Amino acid sequence: MAKKPSNQICANKKARHEYFIEETYEAGLVLEGWEVKSIRAGKMSITESYVIFKNNEAFLFGAHIQPLLTSSTHINPDNIRTRKLLLNRREIDKLYGMVNQKGYAVVALSCYWKHGRVKCEIALAKGKKLHDKRATLKERDFARDKQRGFKNQL
């Protein structure tokens, strides 16, 4: 199993299995104070999250941040609220235009720290059919077996 990088908070491994990734973008994430504390404690999950567009703005929907008991005593935290994504206008317009086409979606791939800020890697993706998923698994297994063969010969 691959080890995650030190600056990575969480990853959506399921997205690469479910979708063909066309383009990736880096977006900032608007968070509240208790959310940042929870993220530092490693209590974030983006497994079922995707991007929605409202009023020419992008929002991350379905990201789950579990509140810490110590940092969220004086507020009423909503752990699955929609969080605003910080993107350039051109990027938002391009993504919005592609989502309106058939078969495209914008999904979150990973979240990570960059210069003390939380960034979210989002991707323009097209859904895979069942036979595409099987082909991907077959290629991955073949590559793994090929690598094992090389290691055994050395």
Side-chain angles (χ1 to χ4, degrees):
M1 188 163 146
K3 188 176 161 185
K4 72 176 186 175
S6 63
N7 64 342
Q8 186 176 15
I9 299 165
C10 59
N12 188 358
K13 295 177 185 177
K14 194 175 176 183
R16 295 196 185 271
H17 177 71
E18 298 284 331
Y19 298 98
F20 289 115
I21 305 300
E22 304 281 330
E23 292 181 58
T24 61
Y25 296 92
E26 180 182 72
L29 206 53
V30 177
L31 299 170
E32 295 177 358
W34 69 268
E35 292 174 326
V36 176
K37 288 182 181 182
S38 294
I39 289 172
R40 287 193 190 280
K43 307 235 181 239
M44 183 176 186
S45 172
I46 57 168
T47 307
E48 296 292 325
S49 63
Y50 57 93
V51 177
I52 57 174
F53 296 95
K54 249 191 275 187
N55 300 332
N56 292 326
E57 293 179 331
F59 294 92
L60 184 64
F61 182 80
H64 180 80
I65 300 176
Q66 181 181 352
L68 293 175
L69 296 175
T70 57
S71 65
S72 58
T73 57
H74 60 285
I75 57 171
N76 188 14
D78 182 13
N79 54 359
I80 55 169
R81 73 177 181 91
T82 56
R83 293 164 181 92
K84 186 175 180 181
L85 291 172
L86 303 173
L87 290 163
N88 291 331
R89 171 63 44 210
R90 288 186 309 267
E91 292 172 338
I92 292 174
D93 292 341
K94 182 177 181 181
L95 288 171
Y96 183 71
M98 295 299 279
V99 166
N100 286 336
Q101 291 183 6
K102 186 177 180 184
Y104 281 102
V106 181
V107 295
L109 295 179
S110 67
C111 287
Y112 53 91
W113 294 102
K114 185 175 181 182
H115 303 297
R117 308 224 189 270
V118 177
K119 300 290 183 177
C120 186
E121 182 182 20
I122 60 173
L124 181 66
K126 194 168 186 104
K128 284 185 182 179
K129 303 272 192 254
L130 181 62
H131 60 85
D132 293 330
K133 294 177 191 176
R134 288 181 185 152
T136 304
L137 288 174
K138 197 178 286 187
E139 290 170 9
R140 192 179 309 142
D141 289 342
F142 177 72
R144 188 181 309 125
D145 291 342
K146 191 167 70 171
Q147 287 295 334
R148 284 181 186 155
F150 287 142
K151 288 181 183 176
N152 291 340
Q153 290 178 357
L154 295 177

